[in-house]
Amino acid sequence: MRRTEKVIIVEGRSDKQKVAAVLNEPVVIVCTNGTISDARLEELADELEGYDVYVLADADEAGEKLRRQFRRMFPEAEHIYIDRAYREVATAPHWHLAQVLLRAHFDVRIESLMRGRGE
């Protein structure tokens, strides 16, 4: 069986659950539990070598700090942004999260794209 080639970095467990509910393809989702130490970032760099890395952080100061850390250690990582109006990945509507993931070339559940469904 071929392993997934994509990894999405998120901040918390609720973010991970929300993203997993929207995706329609196998993707490794890694939680940082907020900001992350440089030592752990180096470990992740080794673990994620060869993967396509995406960073999906909250639209707040903690999320921006996490993005800066990943830009330094994973300059090739692609950053996915939610609308600032939602502030947190976990509270963004499924349809919005599905749209931003679709724009980043992820396969998403079609029902997640429908406004008002399951929100």
Side-chain angles (χ1 to χ4, degrees):
M1 186 169 113
R2 193 169 152 250
R3 72 175 191 162
T4 179
E5 296 174 0
K6 296 179 182 176
V7 174
I8 299 177
I9 308 292
V10 296
E11 291 180 74
R13 187 175 16 245
S14 56
D15 299 337
K16 180 177 180 174
Q17 292 167 339
K18 187 83 169 240
V19 170
V22 170
L23 290 170
N24 196 36
E25 67 175 288
V27 175
V28 175
I29 305 171
V30 176
C31 289
T32 65
N33 297 312
T35 54
I36 188 169
S37 71
D38 286 342
R40 178 62 183 129
L41 259 177
E42 287 183 30
E43 287 175 19
L44 264 179
D46 290 339
E47 292 171 22
L48 301 181
E49 191 170 330
Y51 285 91
D52 293 331
V53 178
Y54 298 81
V55 178
L56 178 57
D58 293 342
D60 60 12
E61 184 53 42
E64 284 307 312
K65 182 177 180 184
L66 185 67
R67 287 182 188 283
R68 285 190 298 272
Q69 289 180 287
F70 274 89
R71 277 191 195 99
R72 193 176 69 243
M73 197 62 106
F74 291 88
E76 70 287 347
E78 185 172 330
H79 291 259
I80 303 170
Y81 294 85
I82 61 165
D83 189 301
R84 285 187 126 4
Y86 301 119
R87 292 191 45 81
E88 298 177 1
V89 172
T91 59
H94 281 91
W95 63 265
H96 177 68
L97 195 52
Q99 286 178 347
V100 298
L101 288 168
L102 193 60
R103 281 195 298 267
H105 308 290
F106 284 89
D107 186 17
V108 298
R109 297 179 194 282
I110 191 74
E111 62 272 14
S112 297
L113 288 166
M114 296 181 216
R115 287 181 189 255
R117 305 276 289 207
E119 308 292 344

